[in-house]
Amino acid sequence: MTTIDAAASAPTGRVHRFAVTCRQDLRDPEAARLTLEAAELGIEADSIRFARVYLIEADLTDEQAALIARELLTDPVAERMLNGEAIGPAIEVHPLPGVMDPAAQSVADAIADLIGLRPPVQTGRRYEFGSLTADRAEALITRLRANTVIHRVHRGTFVPEALPAGSLSSFQLTHIPIRELDDAGLEQLSRDGHLFLDLHEMRAVRDEYCALGREPTDIELETIAQTWSEHCVHKTLKSTIRYTGMTDDDPIDWTDRPGHTRKPDGSVTIDNLLKSTVAAATFELIEEGLDWTLSVFVDNAGIIRFDDDTAICVKVETHNHPSAIEPYGGAATGIGGCIRDIIGTGLAAKPIASTDVFCVGTPTIETVPEGCIPPMRVLDQVVAGVRDYGNRMGIPTLNGAVWFDDRYVGNPLVYCGCVGIMPTDKIEGHAKPGDLIVALGGRTGRDGIHGATFSSAELTDTHADEFSHAVQIGNAIEEKRVLDAILRARDAERGCLFSAITDCGAGGFSSAVGEMGEHVGATVHLDRAPLKYDGLTYTEIWISEAQERMVLAVPEGNLTALQAICDEEHVELAVLGTFGVTNDAGEPELVLNYHEHEVGRLPMPFLHDGIPTPTREAVWTKPKPQTIATADEPPTVREALLTLLAHPNIASKRSIIRQYDHEVQGNTVLKPLVGPGGEGPGDAAVIEPVPGSGKGLAIACGLATNVGDPALGGDPYEMALAAIDECVRNLVCVGADPDRIAILDNFCWPSCKKPENLASLVRAAEGCYDGAKAYRTPFISGKDSLNNQFTTKEGTTIEIPPTLLITGVGIVHDVTKCVTMDAKRAGNRLVAVTPESLETWMTSCSHYETTFSIIEDALERRQSYRPTNPNLDASVSSFVAELISEGVVKAAHDVSDGGLLVAVAEMLVAGNESLGAEIDEDAFDPDPAVLFGEPRASFVLEIDPDEQVIDRMSVTARERGYEVRDLGRVVDTPHLSLTPWKQDRLTISVADLADAWLNGITL
């Protein structure tokens, strides 16, 4: 053992320590950031030094140690090796044994290239404090820089005798007695074994093994649990549901809906909720002629046609529970897994763009329940996880959103999406009997074990301890190598070298091989899987969700060619077995072996189709909003506007957005931030997937959580319509064709074991059906996460608000005609385009009403608003798209969070610093609900000041049943001027608007 603090130090043992810090004459950004974060907590830590630590276990000579230090570990321009001196108490953070350490892997690879030896390596971080005691320094680092789920915090200098290493374990085949268990015993086995199967499912497993005449092995039971988990099989959305609670004023038309049966008792039975709503809308649209949808609901991602030779695939996933325990790793593996979904679609696609949406507790929350991480640290770390993974893989992150609500404090939501491109002749693949089962990429470890079942459970204050093994740490560089190898294999001269491909996501090999072999069977030899360390049992190897692994079905004659590609790309390859095995009854079978022992044998029909589907009860009672007193004095327009612009849900997210690379791959046409200064909130991003084609793909999302919030008396049916509408409007605003938009659904709900929660899910799904049909936007993929709640140590359950994310992609036929939202030129007119009259077109409680406690007035006023008409809403978007294609529109912005006046203010903030706007005196009704209401299907457009154009727009709008309202004009003085409520003229400088919006929230 030795500590090497200088390049010339001589080793005295096997563990060598290198500590690298910033040069003394340069500013250390990590130390500066920690100083700032400490100050925000009221801690003066103005003398901090940071160092990266590398522990290398090897018999190195002096020359080798010096070479490694000089050539690999330090930047001679900006860094130096520590010489053993310390400026005060030192705290070090190192990964716990078994936790993935990507930087250490890269260092080990580099050492192998440098000196021909690949030693064990571990990295760490060292913080020295010149103005804090050791106790205060450790407390600060534990709060801001360490997570005890994956880190160990040390005082002083940490140099172990040896780096952690696994040890071989003896083989022992384990059977689980189940055939004699009663209901109570089945439920206990499910919980204690982390299976998270309900009583109906446990009974089905027991009955199957009674029929087989034997007890299950541990690996068989785990395989069933992974395959039947909510995360993998979506059993709630696919179940039969008996829904009650229809009312005479229900906006849902329950007649003639596919898969719905009205009963004499007034209930409705829905046969497979997903199939009868989301999927039904898509297949009905396909039957009506939407032939540009190429593959929906059958692969890792949905696929649409881009042009004759090219297809686009899209997938959005959630990684909520892991992110609640370890936000950085949870988000990184969330985006990494979604990228692998794209790689594993059809016969492999190339990822070309990523998206992310985060829902977290409010920044101002004073205390968090025990077992929870403070919201701003969650946000900081999930952003970093997505940033690091996407940037390192060279994939631009182009679209997203952040939503704040205290009910996400124990269960944040992390949505990660990816868009890919592929040839149209590579959209389908199937494993064939005789194909080899080939694993590519990362090695298997204990990380991610029980991830699928854990993600299907409710979080509690003890989950960080109980499920730390479910946390995964990804390695983007490894995944980039795997991607390069797979694309080369796909495009090989002799043709694609594999018959099928999928990723090792939830459930690991158990799900990947189990899904690929569903119709042909598979024989697997688990001892052939490369391991990160010794000591894994056969079950751990099978269900581990260790990252960066793909499974391919490879014809035996292609293995040599594939191996050559993998060798050149430095990707590890292992043949785990063979596809194609049946039992005596001719059924495909899954056979699992470990060192010549058969450890599992399962019939594929039972594994994939044996899950029971009992009828679930859904009871709808329109929720009563929480009582919030009406404000005594309503705010002035100035106060309201500036406060709303600074609201966390509305304010600029530039401190997040600018951490991402938007232009890598060189195909980005419109970035997330637009305008001359790059400050405006773009409605959607646009990329050119085929360079030089002039044809673009717009990417956007819609999130309308407040519309369905039970605390505000909301209706999830309306929320779904509003989310689809917002997504479509965002795409239309940049120039997408509304007739070529495809969407994805992501439901995140509290436990649907409660009939009222299941009823709200039903209503959201019904809204998806009506919205997709009205907008003619097929759903091509989706995902659900249905146990998002947190139970505190005291027994209080905090349910998230029902949250539905709609992600959309739309074809832009000519990227030169794309439009942005920033104000363009003085003299142009500003107009609002809305369904019918703006004054009658409000929806659920707006940010204005909730921020200023005007709920009761809002509820009373809403009674006079007309019912939703999604067909009319959709026609408004089509009308705006027509105007954009004609070149009439110079700037377009959707009216959403904050309302009409906020939309105008955002256009000014994004525009030239010399521009402003004057709103005409009679443009608005003297009601704050119109100024700050959040109507659906509404736009603000900047157009040429041609009266004939405005008149023609107005006439066409009236003929179609909606309104074009002249708001005012863009002016050459930087202020927003209006006469609200017949009072004196109000003038707010654009500088004040920008200050509120740009500084509302920072990371």
Side-chain angles (χ1 to χ4, degrees):
M1 178 185 69
T2 187
T3 298
I4 298 183
D5 286 330
S9 297
T12 59
R14 286 189 55 84
V15 175
H16 300 259
R17 174 187 165 91
F18 301 79
V20 182
T21 190
C22 206
R23 261 179 39 187
Q24 291 174 307
D25 58 331
L26 297 177
R27 177 180 180 272
D28 185 341
E30 171 62 12
R33 185 178 183 190
L34 182 58
T35 300
L36 179 62
E37 293 177 11
E40 292 173 349
L41 298 175
I43 300 173
E44 292 187 12
D46 54 2
S47 180
I48 298 176
R49 182 164 66 190
F50 168 72
R52 301 190 316 275
V53 176
Y54 302 92
L55 302 176
I56 301 173
E57 185 175 355
D59 291 322
L60 299 176
T61 65
D62 292 352
E63 292 76 11
Q64 288 174 326
L67 183 66
I68 291 170
R70 182 178 66 251
E71 298 295 330
L72 295 183
L73 303 182
T74 57
D75 177 349
V77 174
E79 295 176 329
R80 67 183 180 91
M81 302 296 294
L82 277 180
N83 291 313
E85 82 279 7
I87 62 173
I91 307 297
E92 294 194 357
V93 180
H94 292 263
L96 288 168
V99 172
M100 181 73 167
D101 192 345
Q105 284 190 343
S106 295
V107 171
D109 291 341
I111 292 174
D113 292 339
L114 188 66
I115 64 174
L117 174 70
R118 194 182 191 283
V121 179
Q122 179 180 303
T123 67
R125 290 166 288 147
R126 177 182 177 89
Y127 301 89
E128 296 175 2
F129 297 85
S131 60
L132 294 180
T133 64
D135 287 343
R136 295 198 74 191
E138 182 175 355
L140 180 67
I141 291 301
T142 301
R143 176 167 181 175
L144 295 180
R145 290 294 182 272
N147 184 339
T148 54
V149 172
I150 61 169
H151 294 137
R152 179 173 292 159
V153 179
H154 303 268
R155 289 193 185 187
T157 299
F158 174 63
V159 190
E161 293 288 338
L163 297 186
S167 58
L168 292 173
S169 59
S170 60
F171 170 77
Q172 182 177 357
L173 180 60
T174 302
H175 288 82
I176 308 297
I178 192 174
R179 290 180 293 170
E180 302 301 324
L181 292 181
D182 58 13
D183 288 352
L186 292 172
E187 289 180 320
Q188 182 176 351
L189 173 60
S190 179
R191 174 58 192 170
D192 293 348
H194 295 161
L195 306 178
F196 295 109
L197 299 177
D198 67 24
L199 182 57
H200 296 286
E201 293 155 357
M202 291 298 293
R203 287 171 177 168
V205 175
R206 180 189 61 190
D207 293 346
E208 173 70 10
Y209 280 94
C210 285
L212 292 174
R214 65 178 179 87
E215 301 290 3
T217 64
D218 51 353
I219 197 170
E220 290 173 341
L221 207 54
E222 290 281 10
T223 302
I224 295 169
Q226 306 299 316
T227 307
W228 289 9
S229 68
E230 185 75 71
H231 185 87
C232 292
V233 79
H234 317 297
K235 53 196 175 189
T236 298
L237 274 167
K238 291 181 178 179
S239 65
T240 299
I241 296 175
R242 180 178 178 271
Y243 176 92
T244 58
M246 284 83 72
T247 59
D248 292 338
D249 61 349
D250 196 329
I252 302 177
D253 181 2
W254 293 97
T255 60
D256 298 325
R257 300 176 86 87
H260 293 57
T261 304
R262 292 290 297 268
K263 300 293 186 179
D265 62 1
S267 66
V268 172
T269 298
I270 307 169
D271 181 19
N272 190 321
L273 178 62
L274 183 64
K275 182 179 179 181
S276 298
T277 54
V278 174
T282 295
F283 290 119
E284 289 175 13
L285 289 169
I286 292 173
E287 290 176 1
E288 294 170 10
L290 294 190
D291 58 356
W292 45 269
T293 55
L294 301 180
S295 176
V296 296
F297 304 119
V298 294
D299 208 334
N300 288 334
I303 308 175
I304 63 173
R305 183 180 299 279
F306 183 72
D307 58 29
D308 291 341
D309 302 316
T310 308
I312 294 293
C313 56
V314 194
K315 182 61 177 289
V316 180
E317 287 267 13
T318 56
H319 225 227
N320 304 336
H321 289 186
S323 298
I325 292 179
E326 209 298 285
Y328 180 87
T333 54
I335 189 63
C338 199
I339 292 169
R340 287 196 304 279
D341 276 330
I342 293 299
I343 300 171
T345 294
L347 289 176
K350 176 187 176 182
I352 57 175
S354 293
T355 70
D356 58 13
V357 174
F358 307 123
C359 300
V360 299
T362 57
T364 55
I365 191 169
E366 294 183 0
T367 59
V368 299
E370 185 175 337
C372 298
I373 300 173
M376 290 308 288
R377 181 172 178 191
V378 171
L379 183 59
D380 177 85
Q381 290 296 295
V382 296
V383 168
V386 172
R387 173 200 68 207
D388 289 352
Y389 212 98
N391 289 357
R392 289 167 184 169
M393 281 202 71
I395 302 170
T397 302
L398 291 174
N399 182 257
V402 183
W403 189 268
F404 295 91
D405 189 299
D406 280 351
R407 288 166 289 178
Y408 296 117
V409 66
N411 201 129
L413 304 184
V414 175
Y415 299 91
C416 297
C418 191
V419 179
I421 187 171
M422 63 198 310
T424 52
D425 63 352
K426 298 289 195 303
I427 65 171
E428 188 174 358
H430 301 285
K432 301 179 179 64
D435 283 348
L436 301 177
I437 302 171
V438 175
L440 295 186
R443 292 189 160 217
T444 298
R446 287 195 174 91
D447 40 339
I449 288 177
H450 287 135
T453 52
F454 163 62
S455 294
S456 305
E458 172 193 340
L459 287 175
T460 69
D461 64 297
T462 64
H463 270 62
D465 298 322
E466 190 174 359
F467 288 101
S468 60
H469 55 270
V471 173
Q472 309 155 57
I473 304 298
N475 185 348
I477 303 303
E478 180 73 47
E479 187 155 321
K480 181 61 168 65
R481 290 198 292 254
V482 172
L483 168 61
D484 292 345
I486 287 172
L487 292 180
R488 285 185 59 189
R490 184 196 70 182
D491 299 331
E493 288 186 10
R494 62 193 292 181
C496 184
L497 298 181
F498 47 90
S499 306
I501 181 174
T502 195
D503 72 305
C504 270
F509 289 137
S510 74
S511 293
V513 177
E515 291 171 6
M516 294 177 74
E518 177 181 356
H519 300 295
V520 297
T523 299
V524 183
H525 298 274
L526 295 167
D527 50 285
R528 299 178 185 175
L531 305 181
K532 295 178 181 178
Y533 36 78
D534 291 331
L536 271 68
T537 67
Y538 55 82
T539 300
E540 290 174 328
I541 296 170
W542 182 234
I543 67 171
S544 166
E545 296 177 15
Q547 296 293 288
E548 289 77 50
R549 299 177 303 162
M550 304 292 295
V551 175
L552 286 68
V554 180
E556 188 170 2
N558 293 344
L559 182 63
T560 301
L562 178 62
Q563 181 71 69
I565 290 173
C566 289
D567 290 344
E568 291 172 3
E569 298 292 345
H570 302 283
V571 172
E572 192 164 9
L573 177 154
V575 178
L576 303 184
T578 308
F579 286 109
V581 60
T582 58
N583 58 21
D584 293 339
E587 297 174 329
E589 206 167 34
L590 176 64
V591 181
L592 304 176
N593 301 289
Y594 183 72
H595 289 300
E596 308 304 324
H597 298 278
E598 182 176 296
V599 295
R601 182 179 289 266
L602 282 165
M604 288 292 194
F606 174 72
L607 185 61
H608 291 283
D609 302 318
I611 184 170
T613 55
T615 299
R616 302 171 189 252
E617 295 290 329
V619 181
W620 173 252
T621 302
K622 187 169 177 60
K624 295 182 179 180
Q626 298 174 359
T627 301
I628 303 177
T630 299
D632 295 331
E633 291 291 335
T636 66
V637 173
R638 180 186 181 90
E639 292 170 341
L641 179 57
L642 295 177
T643 300
L644 290 174
L645 284 170
H647 191 289
N649 287 343
I650 299 172
S652 172
K653 308 302 185 296
R654 66 173 178 173
S655 63
I656 295 174
I657 295 169
R658 287 183 174 168
Q659 296 183 49
Y660 304 136
D661 189 335
H662 311 122
E663 296 177 285
V664 63
Q665 299 192 24
N667 296 333
T668 305
V669 177
L670 292 185
K671 294 183 287 185
L673 295 173
V674 299
E679 298 288 5
D683 292 285
V686 178
I687 58 175
E688 189 181 24
V690 180
S693 67
K695 192 173 185 178
L697 184 78
I699 307 167
C701 63
L703 191 71
T705 304
N706 57 321
V707 180
D709 191 341
L712 303 176
D715 186 343
Y717 173 78
E718 300 281 356
M719 175 180 70
L721 293 176
I724 293 173
D725 172 68
E726 182 185 18
C727 180
V728 170
R729 283 187 291 140
N730 282 331
L731 293 167
V732 165
C733 278
V734 298
D737 180 354
D739 292 329
R740 287 294 305 275
I741 290 174
I743 58 178
L744 298 84
D745 62 276
N746 283 91
F747 296 89
C748 285
W749 242 248
S751 174
C752 287
K753 293 179 180 178
K754 294 174 64 174
E756 57 268 38
N757 288 343
L758 182 57
S760 71
L761 180 67
V762 169
R763 295 186 71 81
E766 303 291 347
C768 287
Y769 175 82
D770 285 344
K773 291 298 295 291
Y775 289 84
R776 297 186 62 77
T777 51
F779 285 98
I780 59 172
S781 183
K783 195 72 173 179
D784 61 85
S785 176
L786 303 182
N787 283 288
N788 292 285
Q789 55 195 46
F790 180 88
T791 298
T792 67
K793 185 177 182 179
E794 295 73 28
T796 301
T797 297
I798 305 171
E799 295 186 344
I800 69 161
T803 307
L804 170 63
L805 172 68
I806 298 293
T807 303
V809 293
I811 302 297
V812 178
H813 296 295
D814 184 352
V815 294
T816 65
K817 295 183 178 180
C818 284
V819 174
T820 55
M821 52 75 66
D822 49 300
K824 298 298 191 301
R825 185 171 65 87
N828 285 346
R829 303 295 298 183
L830 293 175
V831 299
V833 182
T834 61
E836 297 189 336
S837 172
L838 185 64
E839 283 74 19
T840 63
W841 195 236
M842 299 298 110
T843 56
S844 249
C845 288
S846 65
H847 282 81
Y848 172 79
E849 293 158 349
T850 56
T851 300
F852 298 106
S853 302
I854 312 177
I855 303 299
E856 293 175 4
D857 289 352
L859 294 172
E860 182 178 347
R861 180 173 55 251
R862 201 173 304 125
Q863 302 304 314
S864 64
Y865 296 159
R866 72 165 181 80
T868 301
N869 183 346
N871 293 301
L872 180 63
D873 298 355
S875 70
V876 175
S877 290
S878 296
F879 174 60
V880 171
E882 293 171 14
L883 297 174
I884 291 174
S885 66
E886 293 171 5
V888 171
V889 178
K890 307 306 175 185
H893 196 26
D894 77 312
V895 179
S896 55
D897 299 328
L900 191 66
L901 200 57
V902 166
V904 173
E906 289 174 338
M907 295 174 74
L908 297 179
V909 170
N912 188 300
E913 61 183 11
S914 65
L915 295 178
E918 291 185 353
I919 306 302
D920 293 336
E921 181 176 350
D922 298 325
F924 297 103
D925 181 278
D927 186 336
V930 179
L931 284 173
F932 302 111
E934 298 173 4
R936 285 202 296 277
S938 299
F939 299 80
V940 175
L941 307 179
E942 179 186 344
I943 61 174
D944 283 327
D946 187 327
E947 295 298 335
Q948 291 184 342
V949 171
I950 296 175
D951 290 343
R952 178 169 59 83
M953 289 172 55
S954 299
V955 169
T956 303
R958 283 195 299 271
E959 291 174 350
R960 300 184 184 183
Y962 35 85
E963 177 182 77
V964 172
R965 181 176 299 193
D966 192 355
L967 299 179
R969 66 199 61 78
V970 180
V971 297
D972 58 4
T973 54
H975 63 246
L976 173 60
S977 177
L978 71 159
T979 306
W981 305 328
K982 309 302 180 183
Q983 297 172 1
D984 293 336
R985 178 170 293 277
L986 171 70
T987 299
I988 307 177
S989 72
V990 173
D992 286 345
L993 299 175
D995 183 65
W997 188 74
L998 293 172
N999 299 314
I1001 175 174
T1002 58
L1003 281 182

